[in-house]
Amino acid sequence: MSTIQVQALHKKYNGLHAVRGISFSVEKGEVFGFLGPNGAGKTSTINMLTGLARPSSGTITIHGMDALKHTKDIQSRIGVVPDESNLYDDLSGLDNLSFCASLYGMKKADRIRKARELLASFSLDAARDRPFRTYSKGMKRKLTIAAAIIHEPEILFLDEPTSGIDVESARQIRRLIRSLHDQGVTIFLTTHYIEDAERLCDRIAFIVEGVIVETDTVSALLSRNKDTREVAFKAVEGGRHLHDAVKQRWPDVTIRAVSAEGIRVVLEHETSIMPFLKLFESGGFDLLEARIIHQSLEDVFVSITGIDIDRLEKAREAEST
Amino acid sequence: MNRVQAFLSILSKDMKTYYLKPPNISWGLIFPLAWTLMFFIRTEGDVDVLELLPGVMGLSILFGTTSMLAVTITFERKQRSFERLLLAPISVNVLMLAKTSGAILFGIANAFVPVLMALLLADLSNVGWLAVLGGVFFISITSTFLGLFIAVSVREVFEAQTFSNFFRFPMIFLCGLFVPIGDLPLFLRPLSHILPLTYGVDILRNGIEHTALFPLWLNFGVLMLFSVGLFGLSTRMIKKRWIL
């Protein structure tokens, strides 16, 4: 039985469809990624799964229980990291963690011990007695995650965990997610950072405008277009001259990109790069680099969803500012 | 056991974060003091402290409790820290009782500031303390739940404060705090009877001055009904409007 089972889930707010009849399942111990641009329905889905929102229709089963009927039973077994840090500004790091643990019935000695362990593991022990409001954004994010895992939940919901924080904090959070995964915690992760999804998730669902357009393992998604490769050539003469030479010799070859330094050529099936090297040699080109570019999850995402990278980049920029 | 622990933790967190902060303590002291002084200054001749006391106590509780709920509920919701509590494995009823208990205690403490001042100025040996304590307790509960109802009906802290004043200021004049209900124009009197503070102050007057409009059982009964009704309405609104 799947740990999370969602069937035909639909959410409408004031006439707007945030989630449109999605179905998916998450297995025990799996890191399941929910990948999509801002406004795709990721947070609405998390809110419904965690009991902060009621579905307009559809069913959610968590640990075999109907999430709408057994919300509080389920909430005792899950941890939630919202997209914004929402701890108490006036409480210290230690007091915040201790308070959150007390809501789950942890004894005082246990929660203080566990809080200190978590503060140490997140490199926050020096700031443990400082009020939360004095923390940096990265520190706030780490403490919010610590607050969500202090009661050792079986399922952890993370909404955009690395969004808008410094590189080192993001790295620490990724390490923590891997470590929780190793301990068998089921993780439901939403993100619009494709790199995070690729690095951390076992399986990924692409969600666009409230609809899941694809769900598969990362490796299966990456092997979707394995017959197609791209090769980047760079030459002293620049991309325009390389482009012209290739097109003159093989008009049907697809050139994905032309830049000042070089070109990116799409190779079908097992096509060798040797003919290209010979062409450039005979043409007197001063070739600097020939590199095979592996298909990224971003390429797969674009090919499946049709969403251009610019839109995602803009979403990222808006998030970081 | 978990529920008791969660209840106590939320209460203790709110006491530490809000109620025991210097601005709130000073508000709790200065507000009743200012009201009492105002009556001393405005009254010509001797001031009957016992006559003033029920009104000042009622007013201190009303303003103390309703002001705090706008912060502990509306502000936390705005900051999204309230989501953390909604995600905890405790029922909305336990959660809201925990969130309001701090305000109830704050209201009770506020009520006894004018009592301490009155001790210096008048003979309180004939006061029926049991009725006074009961009255203070129930005024605190109903005022807190009125504040809760207002806090869950709005989105912004300023809206909560504005909406609170819509109830609070008419109550000063309509609930027999300083102007006897019998002296009010006839058309206003029905309004007095639908406001909970009328019954609370009547209990205080019963205990302090040994005069009252209604029997004690009726006053306590009406306050209980108001408490249950306001709390029920508020938790229903939370379930309906906050868990979208």
Side-chain angles (χ1 to χ4, degrees):
Chain A
M1 184 196 293
S2 302
T3 296
I4 301 173
Q5 183 79 49
V6 170
Q7 279 296 326
L9 194 64
H10 200 108
K11 183 65 189 175
K12 205 160 96 172
Y13 294 104
N14 303 323
L16 292 172
H17 297 268
V19 175
R20 299 160 186 262
I22 60 172
S23 299
F24 61 89
S25 60
V26 182
E27 304 307 318
K28 187 172 166 35
E30 182 177 37
V31 180
F32 186 84
F34 224 46
L35 183 66
N38 287 344
K42 304 187 296 288
T43 299
S44 294
T45 305
I46 275 207
N47 284 346
M48 287 189 278
L49 293 175
T50 56
L52 279 181
R54 282 188 204 91
S56 303
S57 63
T59 60
I60 302 168
T61 310
I62 296 178
H63 287 308
M65 291 182 278
D66 182 337
L68 292 176
K69 288 185 184 151
H70 302 278
T71 311
K72 292 296 162 188
D73 291 330
I74 290 167
Q75 283 177 336
S76 68
R77 298 166 72 176
I78 64 171
V80 183
V81 180
D83 54 347
E84 281 174 40
S85 299
N86 64 350
L87 290 167
Y88 298 93
D89 278 347
D90 288 342
L91 294 186
S92 68
L94 185 68
D95 286 346
N96 260 306
L97 292 187
S98 174
F99 172 69
C100 291
S102 73
L103 298 175
Y104 293 83
M106 282 176 77
K107 297 271 176 289
K108 191 170 182 183
D110 291 339
R111 55 185 198 244
I112 296 293
R113 177 187 50 78
K114 186 75 184 167
R116 286 193 168 143
E117 276 174 27
L118 285 169
L119 286 163
S121 68
F122 277 112
S123 316
L124 291 171
D125 34 3
R128 76 176 187 200
D129 297 321
R130 269 171 44 196
F132 184 64
R133 66 168 176 273
T134 65
Y135 282 29
S136 70
K137 203 169 180 184
M139 291 163 82
K140 282 183 173 175
R141 201 84 193 119
K142 288 192 282 185
L143 197 74
T144 306
I145 294 176
I149 60 173
I150 193 162
H151 60 289
E152 297 178 354
E154 294 160 55
I155 308 173
L156 181 64
F157 292 90
L158 291 146
D159 197 359
E160 305 281 358
T162 59
S163 185
I165 59 170
D166 60 282
V167 175
E168 183 49 35
S169 296
R171 195 174 291 161
Q172 244 176 336
I173 289 168
R174 279 187 217 107
R175 271 202 301 269
L176 171 92
I177 294 170
R178 283 192 203 101
S179 149
L180 289 169
H181 180 39
D182 292 343
Q183 293 165 37
V185 176
T186 306
I187 295 168
F188 185 95
L189 169 83
T190 78
T191 184
H192 62 259
Y193 290 141
I194 291 177
E195 301 88 340
D196 273 0
E198 189 170 349
R199 282 183 208 178
L200 297 167
C201 298
D202 299 314
R203 278 194 311 137
I204 290 173
F206 291 151
I207 181 166
V208 180
E209 291 173 357
V211 178
I212 292 182
V213 292
E214 189 62 75
T215 309
D216 215 331
T217 61
V218 173
S219 54
L221 287 167
L222 287 172
S223 63
R224 282 286 166 90
N225 299 328
K226 67 180 177 189
D227 290 342
T228 307
R229 292 171 299 151
E230 284 182 27
V231 183
F233 295 105
K234 286 185 184 176
V236 172
E237 289 77 7
R240 182 46 53 192
H241 287 96
L242 289 174
H243 170 272
D244 293 346
V246 171
K247 277 292 181 187
Q248 197 176 0
R249 176 73 179 81
W250 299 290
D252 294 336
V253 163
T254 306
I255 297 179
R256 180 85 74 200
V258 182
S259 68
E261 294 84 28
I263 55 173
R264 275 175 73 169
V265 180
V266 177
L267 298 184
E268 300 293 339
H269 307 293
E270 294 301 311
T271 309
S272 164
I273 66 166
M274 282 311 290
F276 291 92
L277 297 178
K278 283 178 183 164
L279 172 71
F280 297 141
E281 188 182 22
S282 62
F285 284 95
D286 195 355
L287 203 61
L288 298 170
E289 184 180 308
R291 181 167 53 92
I292 292 174
I293 297 168
H294 294 285
Q295 176 103 322
S296 70
L297 194 61
E298 188 165 309
D299 298 323
V300 179
F301 180 81
V302 173
S303 71
I304 291 174
T305 65
I307 292 175
D308 66 35
I309 300 302
D310 283 349
R311 188 172 156 193
L312 278 179
E313 290 298 328
K314 276 175 192 160
R316 280 180 207 179
E317 280 166 25
E319 193 73 39
S320 61
T321 53
Chain B
M1 185 59 203
N2 280 3
R3 276 184 292 183
V4 176
Q5 185 180 322
F7 175 92
L8 292 173
S9 287
I10 295 168
L11 174 59
S12 127
K13 190 271 296 171
D14 277 359
M15 293 305 277
K16 191 173 171 183
T17 316
Y18 305 113
Y19 298 101
L20 297 177
K21 286 282 165 71
N24 291 322
I25 294 172
S26 58
W27 161 266
L29 291 171
I30 289 169
F31 187 77
L33 193 70
W35 276 100
T36 313
L37 284 176
M38 187 186 83
F39 282 102
F40 269 100
I41 292 162
R42 288 291 302 159
T43 311
E44 289 171 9
D46 288 340
V47 176
D48 186 345
V49 173
L50 294 184
E51 195 187 326
L52 280 182
L53 193 55
V56 177
M57 287 172 77
L59 207 56
S60 302
I61 300 171
L62 178 70
F63 275 75
T65 52
T66 48
S67 302
M68 292 311 294
L69 266 300
V71 178
T72 60
I73 308 278
T74 317
F75 179 72
E76 280 198 8
R77 192 188 169 215
K78 186 86 185 149
Q79 296 291 305
R80 291 185 63 183
S81 45
F82 204 83
E83 270 179 21
R84 187 164 288 287
L85 303 176
L86 289 173
L87 284 166
I90 47 170
S91 69
V92 171
N93 287 352
V94 173
L95 166 59
M96 296 322 292
L97 278 176
K99 289 298 288 178
T100 50
S101 292
I104 292 169
L105 293 174
F106 188 67
I108 293 171
N110 273 9
F112 284 97
V113 175
V115 173
L116 291 175
M117 287 160 58
L119 272 172
L120 304 173
L121 303 165
D123 175 16
L124 301 184
S125 58
N126 285 328
V127 169
W129 289 108
L130 201 63
V132 170
L133 281 174
V136 165
F137 184 65
F138 272 97
I139 297 172
S140 290
I141 292 176
T142 44
S143 302
T144 298
F145 290 169
L146 177 66
L148 173 66
F149 176 71
I150 292 165
V152 300
S153 307
V154 299
R155 286 183 180 276
E156 305 285 343
V157 175
F158 79 88
E159 287 175 328
Q161 299 289 15
T162 311
F163 198 21
S164 294
N165 288 336
F166 180 77
F167 285 95
R168 289 187 299 202
F169 283 101
M171 282 163 95
I172 297 175
F173 304 103
L174 294 173
C175 295
L177 272 69
F178 306 110
V179 182
I181 291 172
D183 292 353
L184 290 173
L186 209 59
F187 73 95
L188 282 178
R189 285 184 208 168
L191 281 177
S192 304
H193 294 284
I194 57 164
L195 295 170
L197 196 57
T198 301
Y199 303 92
V201 171
D202 204 48
I203 297 172
L204 297 182
R205 233 173 257 296
N206 190 319
I208 294 168
E209 292 183 273
H210 305 292
T211 58
L213 286 174
F214 312 109
L216 273 180
W217 65 266
L218 179 70
N219 285 330
F220 279 114
V222 171
L223 289 181
M224 269 188 222
L225 280 178
F226 266 111
S227 303
V228 173
L230 287 167
F231 187 77
L233 264 179
S234 304
T235 50
R236 194 158 169 251
M237 281 174 79
I238 289 169
K239 286 174 194 163
K240 210 169 174 183
R241 293 170 61 171
W242 292 12
I243 303 170
L244 294 168

